């Protein structure tokens, strides 16, 4: 079945370490997105990519980096520059410019 | 003021009750989405609407473009409907990319 796989589901890291969250889709979707969810707030866009080898900053890109070397994969790196990295991270995808979104199951990152 | 507002924030219902969750938005949109988030965090897309009404099983979604308002109805509610329901809009800012803006969600608890 087609879908989005995010791994791992839970991730713990020490402060100051970079960590990479995986997002893989087998839907042949062009566009992929990373969102951050904090308690009491709507999801906020971190980065998005509309095509391979291209990506754009969202509303809260500081302290994050991404790559899009393959259509299926859009990994997110949370760097040590991100001041408040503990959050729930969701990946999504869709056919570019149309259609509904497909969301992953999320990764809960805790930095201690 | 958020561009997407949901009400109520929290809702407790008895099994079998008819439930309504409301969403108002203040931007021009090309589509409105209703999403369901279960306690594990993963999000499922329930509906994508640009006009009128859609029905899927016990779920009904309506949108009034002139009033910038949408409602999600659940008939004959069941404890398994307990989840966070999120309204999101594909904002029509023009250009190549239309941004997805999320409400903060409605936490629904259906008691047996």
């Amino acid at each position: 079945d087609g879908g989005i796989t995010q791994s791992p589901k839970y991730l713990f890291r020490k402060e100051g370490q970079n960590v990479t969250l995986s997002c893989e889709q087998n839907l042949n979707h062009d566009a992929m997105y990373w969102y951050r969810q904090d308690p009491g707030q709507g999801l906020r866009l971190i980065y998005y990519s509309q095509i391979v080898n291209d990506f754009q900053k969202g509303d809260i890109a500081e302290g994050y980096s991404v790559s899009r070397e393959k259509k299926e994969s859009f990994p997110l790196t949370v760097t040590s520059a991100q001041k408040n990295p503990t959050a729930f991270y969701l990946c999504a995808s869709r056919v570019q410019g149309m259609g509904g979104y497909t969301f992953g199951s999320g990764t809960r990152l805790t930095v201690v | 003021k958020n561009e997407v507002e949901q009400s109520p924030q929290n809702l407790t219902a008895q099994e079998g009750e008819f439930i309504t969750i409301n969403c108002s938005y203040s931007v021009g949109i090309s589509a409105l989405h209703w999403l369901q988030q279960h306690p594990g965090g993963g999000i499922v897309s329930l509906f994508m609407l640009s006009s009128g009404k859609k029905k899927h099983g016990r779920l009904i979604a309506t949108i009034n473009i002139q009033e910038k308002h949408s409602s999600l109805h659940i008939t004959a509610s069941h404890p398994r409907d307990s989840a966070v329901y999120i309204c999101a809009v594909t904002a029509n800012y023009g250009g190549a990319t239309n941004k997805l803006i999320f409400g903060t969600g409605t936490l629904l608890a259906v008691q047996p």
Side-chain angles (χ1 to χ4, degrees):
Chain A
D1 287 338
I4 294 183
T5 301
Q6 286 189 246
S7 61
K9 193 171 179 68
Y10 299 96
L11 190 54
F12 294 87
R13 278 294 182 269
K14 290 185 179 178
E15 194 171 337
Q17 289 182 334
N18 291 356
V19 60
T20 297
L21 281 57
S22 169
C23 178
E24 304 276 333
Q25 54 99 358
N26 60 2
L27 300 162
N28 201 33
H29 284 174
D30 304 298
M32 296 186 74
Y33 307 81
W34 274 106
Y35 294 95
R36 172 182 169 136
Q37 187 177 40
D38 294 285
Q41 295 192 43
L43 283 85
R44 293 179 291 167
L45 180 64
I46 305 172
Y47 266 99
Y48 64 97
S49 168
Q50 296 174 272
I51 195 169
V52 174
N53 292 324
D54 185 55
F55 47 83
Q56 307 293 330
K57 291 182 179 180
D59 299 320
I60 54 166
E62 186 175 347
Y64 298 98
S65 66
V66 293
S67 63
R68 186 88 186 275
E69 296 176 4
K70 298 186 298 181
K71 190 175 186 178
E72 305 79 32
S73 179
F74 190 41
L76 174 75
T77 297
V78 185
T79 75
S80 56
Q82 168 50 234
K83 297 198 186 325
N84 189 16
T86 294
F88 187 66
Y89 292 88
L90 273 160
C91 179
S93 71
R94 72 167 183 162
V95 174
Q96 175 53 22
M98 60 184 288
Y101 292 76
T102 301
F103 288 87
S105 55
T107 293
R108 189 167 299 280
L109 173 65
T110 302
V111 175
V112 296
Chain B
K1 190 177 188 300
N2 293 337
E3 292 166 302
V4 179
E5 297 273 0
Q6 285 185 239
S7 63
Q9 287 188 312
N10 294 281
L11 181 57
T12 300
Q14 294 298 313
E15 184 173 355
E17 285 185 2
F18 181 84
I19 289 164
T20 296
I21 300 170
N22 295 298
C23 176
S24 297
Y25 54 92
S26 57
V27 295
I29 70 169
S30 55
L32 182 141
H33 310 258
W34 280 104
L35 312 169
Q36 182 190 54
Q37 185 172 31
H38 277 280
I43 289 180
V44 173
S45 180
L46 299 174
F47 295 103
M48 185 176 75
L49 292 163
S50 54
S51 64
K53 176 179 173 178
K54 286 191 176 180
K55 184 176 189 292
H56 185 256
R58 295 180 294 105
L59 301 177
I60 304 166
T62 63
I63 187 169
N64 184 318
I65 296 294
Q66 286 73 30
E67 294 185 4
K68 295 190 172 180
H69 181 269
S70 174
S71 293
L72 176 69
H73 305 286
I74 305 175
T75 62
S77 59
H78 190 276
R80 64 174 173 267
D81 297 325
S82 298
V84 175
Y85 291 84
I86 300 172
C87 174
V89 299
T90 306
N92 198 356
Y93 290 138
T97 301
N98 292 330
K99 183 180 171 182
L100 196 61
I101 304 173
F102 294 83
T104 55
T106 295
L107 176 61
L108 171 65
V110 181
Q111 296 178 341

